[in-house]
Amino acid sequence: MAYTPAKTWSDGDILNATDVMANLDGVKQYSRHLETGALKTSTPWVDTSHVMEGQYEPTTNMHSMVTGTYGGQNSGGLFSRATFASRWNTFRKSYSEQSILLPQTSLTVDLRRKASVFFQWWMQVQVKDNLTGLMPTGSLSPRTSFWFAINDTVAGTGVIQKSETKQGVPGPSNSKSGQVLLDGTFNTNGFYTKSSTTGQSSVGFGITCRCTGDMAHCLAWGVSVEVFYL
Amino acid sequence: MSEIENDRLSRASRLQPATLNEKFSDITAATTAAIDGTNVAREGIDLPNLDTNATNGQSDIILRSMLSASLGSSGPGSVTISFSTSSSPPAAPTYIGNEISYSSGISLVAGDIIRVYWSMNVEQVFTPNIALIRELWWALWLQWDITSAARANYTEVPGQGNFNDDITGAGKDSGSDVTSMYGCSLVAQYIRVIDVGATTLQYAQAPTGLRAQAVNGSWYYRVTTNTTLYGLRMVGGGLLYPFCDTTGALGTANVNYLRYANNTTPGVNAPQQLIVHEGKMSAIIMRDN
């Protein structure tokens, strides 16, 4: 619907300041809230020059665009950014399992609008010796597990691990120094989708891990996040 | 041209109603389905100007749909795929619930992009038979239903065979050309294990802690013709063995296939199972126009 002036003058009308101001105020209000009917829709007219330019944050490798936010991290060259899981940091007390965030694999995103989020990771894990022989009660052999997790700092919910995204990696038998497979390596890959109804919040996406063995080297890995606003 | 061109009032002329009204009627004319690029500055459109979806950002501009489903359920033994001991497999593939359903269908137009991802944990079950061992595989593959909302007509997605198409017929082990496996993950049934200190390589059923392994895969597809998608699901089948048709007896020479094993295939000794649990599938549909 087009703008409609509050006052239309006719011959003999008195020109009042209030009528003029009412019409001008109407223009101001209308210009701040254009209605659908005012837009020309017969031909597309928005091109890339009209859309706000995106921003790139090189430290976190994140692109923030009008359409969404996209970015990720990876391990770089071999051994340059390896990370790890171990029972020495996931079993903080004797026989008490605790998942922790896998170092370096989390991303923090400012969701500017209601959005759909897609997070995915891939990882090559090398499971090595298990020489200490100290296994949690009930464990038949060491295992390392990875999950997708959300850390909603605004909601204050802390790290929430999504059980259905579990990716398990086996380890060698108790007290054995050999590797499970001949090369001791496994591939994992996971993803998670989430619709966010709370825009403009700072949300962390990442991988949690839990390990009952001595060490699981995450030699090569990558994480990425895609946020769709449109 | 919707730009508003508004001349100044003349100080030397008497103010007429029509002249004054024109100052505002010009705006009315310009805002009657006429605002276009000439009214918008460079980089003048940002998120607040756009009519985004109220709950999830799926506005059909970039993202059309993003859905997920759990495969199996938490814990072992959720979905079991069993090898058929029939002499003429294959058995119908085993459905790995749950499906991703588009209850009333989602209309896909040419150019739309479908991205499907899946991950799950699997355990192989078999009775070791070292003497007769050979390479055997399970396949987990993707199907879609583009027929009706009843979702009773699942078929393989484009680029994926059902292992009963490229080779089929009486007296033949059915199979698919390995180039028809775009939406498929393969799982080796046997793991080669070496114990510490041992010098002999063994094929054996993996120890309990070793059995559950991660499997994952993905399928990307650019829609070529308009259609309606009602559902996506994963199925599994096997056992399969690799075969190279060196002579062209089945068609073209030197084509590689994966074929269904039968109960006389060396290395097959029932029971042979693949247990699938703790899995997840997600489908993203994007628009490219």
Side-chain angles (χ1 to χ4, degrees):
Chain A
M1 183 175 175
Y3 159 74
T4 304
K7 172 69 176 177
T8 301
W9 289 272
S10 303
D11 286 345
D13 283 358
I14 298 173
L15 182 59
N16 291 322
T18 52
D19 289 336
V20 176
M21 285 306 299
N23 276 9
L24 293 174
D25 287 346
V27 173
K28 279 199 296 187
Q29 290 175 13
Y30 189 86
S31 66
R32 283 162 173 74
H33 186 72
L34 286 175
E35 296 178 1
T36 305
L39 299 176
K40 190 173 191 175
T41 56
S42 56
T43 53
W45 50 263
V46 175
D47 59 38
T48 51
S49 70
H50 294 111
V51 180
M52 176 67 76
E53 187 176 3
Q55 294 179 319
Y56 175 62
E57 172 52 62
T59 303
T60 56
N61 190 35
M62 298 290 287
H63 287 86
S64 296
M65 325 288 279
V66 172
T67 53
T69 297
Y70 312 91
Q73 296 282 330
N74 62 59
S75 56
L78 190 61
F79 298 120
S80 62
R81 290 184 72 193
T83 185
F84 68 100
S86 166
R87 72 185 184 87
W88 300 111
N89 61 358
T90 60
F91 277 65
R92 297 192 174 181
K93 292 186 294 185
S94 176
Y95 302 156
S96 173
E97 289 187 278
Q98 182 172 352
S99 297
I100 66 166
L101 285 167
L102 189 66
Q104 305 186 89
T105 62
S106 295
L107 301 165
T108 301
V109 178
D110 289 324
L111 300 178
R112 299 178 179 182
R113 279 292 187 276
K114 313 295 172 55
S116 288
V117 181
F118 181 68
F119 176 93
Q120 61 178 328
W121 90 81
W122 64 270
M123 192 185 311
Q124 186 179 32
V125 184
Q126 184 180 50
V127 181
K128 289 193 65 183
D129 307 345
N130 188 49
L131 294 172
T132 57
L134 298 174
M135 294 295 299
T137 301
S139 294
L140 296 175
S141 71
R143 291 193 57 78
T144 308
S145 297
F146 301 95
W147 295 266
F148 167 78
I150 298 174
N151 186 9
D152 191 336
T153 56
V154 174
T157 53
V159 176
I160 298 176
Q161 185 170 278
K162 300 298 181 182
S163 61
E164 69 270 33
T165 63
K166 176 184 175 181
Q167 290 272 277
V169 174
S173 302
N174 197 9
S175 303
K176 299 293 176 60
S177 60
Q179 297 162 9
V180 174
L181 299 185
L182 293 181
D183 60 358
T185 59
F186 299 86
N187 291 318
T188 71
N189 181 302
F191 52 87
Y192 195 77
T193 58
K194 178 175 174 58
S195 293
S196 171
T197 56
T198 55
Q200 312 212 9
S201 62
S202 181
V203 183
F205 301 99
I207 305 171
T208 53
C209 62
R210 185 185 299 166
C211 182
T212 61
D214 282 0
M215 62 179 82
H217 295 166
C218 306
L219 297 175
W221 53 269
V223 296
S224 70
V225 65
E226 300 172 56
V227 177
F228 297 91
Y229 297 134
L230 302 175
Chain B
M1 180 72 176
S2 59
E3 191 173 8
I4 301 171
E5 294 183 357
N6 222 240
D7 294 333
R8 286 176 176 275
L9 297 173
S10 172
R11 289 176 179 274
S13 304
R14 180 183 175 188
L15 181 61
Q16 298 289 346
T19 310
L20 183 57
N21 287 334
E22 187 183 341
K23 302 300 142 195
F24 299 99
S25 62
D26 281 350
I27 300 171
T28 299
T31 56
T32 304
I35 290 178
D36 60 16
T38 57
N39 301 97
V40 179
R42 286 179 61 84
E43 302 186 23
I45 296 176
D46 206 342
L47 265 174
N49 307 114
L50 299 171
D51 185 18
T52 60
N53 184 282
T55 56
N56 52 27
Q58 297 173 16
S59 305
D60 272 3
I61 299 173
I62 302 293
L63 184 63
R64 303 201 59 209
S65 170
M66 183 184 287
L67 293 176
S68 295
S70 295
L71 301 177
S73 59
S74 180
S78 298
V79 177
T80 299
I81 305 168
S82 297
F83 168 67
S84 169
T85 56
S86 164
S87 59
S88 58
T94 301
Y95 165 46
I96 304 170
N98 294 306
E99 64 187 339
I100 289 178
S101 63
Y102 303 89
S103 55
S104 55
I106 180 170
S107 297
L108 305 177
V109 300
D112 282 358
I113 297 167
I114 308 175
R115 301 162 56 188
V116 183
Y117 300 83
W118 59 87
S119 72
M120 57 197 92
N121 289 270
V122 298
E123 298 181 30
Q124 303 95 328
V125 178
F126 65 95
T127 302
N129 188 344
I130 298 172
L132 297 176
I133 213 77
R134 66 173 297 173
E135 299 85 357
L136 291 168
W137 304 81
W138 299 99
L140 307 166
W141 68 93
L142 183 65
Q143 294 183 325
W144 70 359
D145 193 326
I146 54 174
T147 304
S148 73
R151 293 189 301 282
N153 296 284
Y154 273 100
T155 57
E156 279 61 40
V157 295
Q160 176 60 48
N162 67 356
F163 302 100
N164 189 24
D165 45 8
D166 294 324
I167 303 176
T168 185
K172 299 176 182 176
D173 290 348
S174 303
S176 284
D177 187 333
V178 295
T179 61
S180 299
M181 294 170 59
Y182 282 71
C184 179
S185 294
L186 296 176
V187 181
Q189 171 68 335
Y190 306 131
I191 298 175
R192 190 166 61 170
V193 176
I194 181 170
D195 200 358
V196 176
T199 56
T200 304
L201 295 179
Q202 299 180 32
Y203 289 98
Q205 180 164 310
T208 302
L210 174 53
R211 265 182 238 162
Q213 293 188 66
V215 176
N216 46 71
S218 57
W219 177 74
Y220 310 122
Y221 182 65
R222 188 182 184 91
V223 176
T224 54
T225 55
N226 296 359
T227 188
T228 302
L229 176 64
Y230 296 96
L232 290 160
R233 73 175 190 179
M234 294 295 297
V235 296
L239 294 163
L240 304 164
Y241 68 91
F243 174 78
C244 181
D245 181 16
T246 55
T247 63
L250 299 171
T252 306
N254 298 317
V255 172
N256 293 309
Y257 299 94
L258 273 180
R259 306 179 73 175
Y260 268 96
N262 60 42
N263 59 357
T264 62
T265 302
V268 171
N269 56 332
Q272 305 251 5
Q273 293 177 329
L274 186 74
I275 300 174
V276 180
H277 55 89
E278 291 172 302
K280 188 172 175 63
M281 176 167 68
S282 291
I284 302 171
I285 299 176
M286 300 172 66
R287 175 144 287 174
D288 179 22
N289 59 15

